[in-house]
């Protein structure tokens, strides 16, 4: 039996962060802001601390596709950001092989730049060389399907629909292999043909010995794309196992 090689180990991780409260923007001018800064250790008025991930532990292995499921606010996206290194754990440790790459529908590309220019910038951000981007450029555009109804790749990204932008982001990220690829709701956009292409590409990434994490509210997408699922609620793992079993239990719970 082949040795299972871990790519991500999450060990007793807690993630907390501070957000503005229901009152909205903190009131007062620059003077009161300075006063809050000088009041060391005191919470700023109108803010609250969110304990989004609570003692989560698991290991992920090469070749796995793992779906993260749970209701809104359960900690799925926060956990992905922590694995990507964008949110430091307040307690616990995260160990990764290589540099995880986080892809989200809200990932920032430049709205005033053309799709063509964003392919170059996005490819560089994903670790590709300019030569690799040039070689893979047409495949990225064709995979995204943004040019099927016109020459949209030459237009500014701000003219794209949210679905077109999400498809282009996924296409850029999927153009190279990753040790760990983290996808946040990217497959919820696009038509059935694009979702099928995306799932096929995820299977290829897994075959290339990568690990894929997918956050999605589509249970069918998790079943079709992932062999394992982790169910999070209130920042804690309720169930971790084969995707069909975990999704079935989740569906019974949420009926």
């Amino acid at each position: 039996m082949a040795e299972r090689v871990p790519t991500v180990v999450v060990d007793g991780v807690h993630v907390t962060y501070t957000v503005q409260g229901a009152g909205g923007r903190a009131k007062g001018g620059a003077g009161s802001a300075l006063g809050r800064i000088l009041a060391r250790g005191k919470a700023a008025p109108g803010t609250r601390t969110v304990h989004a991930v609570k003692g989560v532990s698991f290991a992920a292995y090469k070749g796995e596709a793992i779906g993260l499921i749970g209701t809104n606010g359960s900690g799925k996206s926060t956990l992905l950001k922590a694995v990507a290194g964008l949110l430091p754990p307040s307690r616990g440790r995260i160990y990764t092989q290589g540099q995880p790459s986080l892809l989200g529908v809200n990932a920032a590309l430049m709205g005033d730049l053309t799709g063509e220019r964003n392919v170059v910038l996005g490819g560089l951000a994903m670790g590709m060389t300019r030569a690799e981007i040039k070689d893979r450029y047409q495949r990225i555009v064709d995979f995204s399907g943004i040019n099927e109804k016109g020459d949209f790749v030459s237009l500014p990204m701000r003219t794209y629909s949210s679905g077109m932008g999400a498809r282009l982001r996924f296409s850029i990220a999927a153009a190279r292999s990753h040790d760990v690829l983290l996808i946040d709701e990217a497959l919820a956009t696009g038509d059935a043909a694009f979702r099928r292409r995306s799932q096929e590409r995820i299977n290829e990434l897994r075959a290339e010995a990568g690990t894929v994490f997918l956050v999605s509210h589509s249970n069918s997408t998790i079943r079709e794309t992932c062999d394992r699922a982790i169910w999070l609620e209130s920042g804690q793992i309720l169930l971790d196992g084969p995707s069909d079993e975990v999704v079935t239990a989740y569906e019974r719970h949420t009926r």
Side-chain angles (χ1 to χ4, degrees):
M1 183 176 180
E3 180 184 2
R4 299 182 76 200
V5 179
T7 54
V8 176
V9 176
V10 177
D11 182 15
V13 164
H14 294 254
V15 179
T16 59
Y17 55 86
T18 302
V19 297
Q20 290 190 357
R25 181 178 297 177
K27 297 181 179 179
S32 60
L34 178 60
R36 290 193 295 272
I37 293 172
L38 295 176
R40 297 178 182 178
K42 296 181 179 179
T47 64
R48 62 189 178 95
T49 299
V50 176
H51 194 170
V53 176
K54 304 170 183 175
V56 167
S57 298
F58 65 87
Y61 298 88
K62 283 187 176 182
E64 282 193 314
I66 302 172
L68 298 180
I69 63 175
T71 55
N72 289 336
S74 60
K76 305 183 299 295
S77 295
T78 299
L79 181 59
L80 277 197
K81 290 176 182 176
V83 172
L86 301 178
L87 281 176
S90 53
R91 285 158 50 197
R93 298 290 298 273
I94 298 175
Y95 305 89
T96 62
Q97 178 183 27
Q99 176 59 48
S101 300
L102 174 63
L103 169 71
V105 170
N106 295 323
L109 293 181
M110 304 297 290
D112 288 334
L113 298 182
T114 64
E116 179 179 7
R117 186 61 182 156
N118 272 296
V119 169
V120 174
L121 294 178
L124 291 172
M126 284 287 169
M128 287 185 270
T129 66
R130 289 186 179 273
E132 288 173 329
I133 296 167
K134 182 177 180 180
D135 179 62
R136 302 173 192 183
Y137 171 80
Q138 194 58 51
R139 278 177 284 168
I140 292 171
V141 174
D142 292 345
F143 189 98
S144 71
I146 63 172
N147 266 10
E148 291 176 354
K149 296 183 179 180
D151 186 23
F152 280 95
V153 75
S154 65
L155 297 178
M157 281 270 304
R158 56 180 164 76
T159 66
Y160 293 9
S161 67
S162 59
M164 290 170 63
R167 295 200 306 274
L168 184 59
R169 292 182 187 96
F170 180 86
S171 303
I172 294 169
R176 67 177 292 265
S177 298
H178 302 267
D179 292 323
V180 180
L181 179 60
L182 312 164
I183 306 171
D184 195 350
E185 286 292 355
L187 301 186
T189 61
D191 57 17
F194 178 77
R195 291 196 296 273
R196 184 172 60 253
R197 291 199 301 272
S198 301
Q199 289 160 7
E200 290 170 354
R201 180 57 184 141
I202 285 176
N203 289 335
E204 291 172 358
L205 290 169
R206 292 170 58 193
E208 293 161 6
T211 304
V212 177
F213 286 85
L214 172 64
V215 169
S216 178
H217 288 289
S218 169
N219 294 338
S220 61
T221 295
I222 296 293
R223 279 193 170 101
E224 293 166 6
T225 307
C226 304
D227 49 358
R228 175 182 171 191
I230 296 175
W231 174 11
L232 287 171
E233 284 300 337
S234 300
Q236 298 177 304
I237 293 179
L238 288 190
L239 194 60
D240 178 356
S243 58
D244 189 58
E245 293 179 14
V246 175
V247 171
T248 298
Y250 174 67
E251 288 174 338
R252 288 199 197 102
H253 176 79
T254 54
R255 278 176 189 157

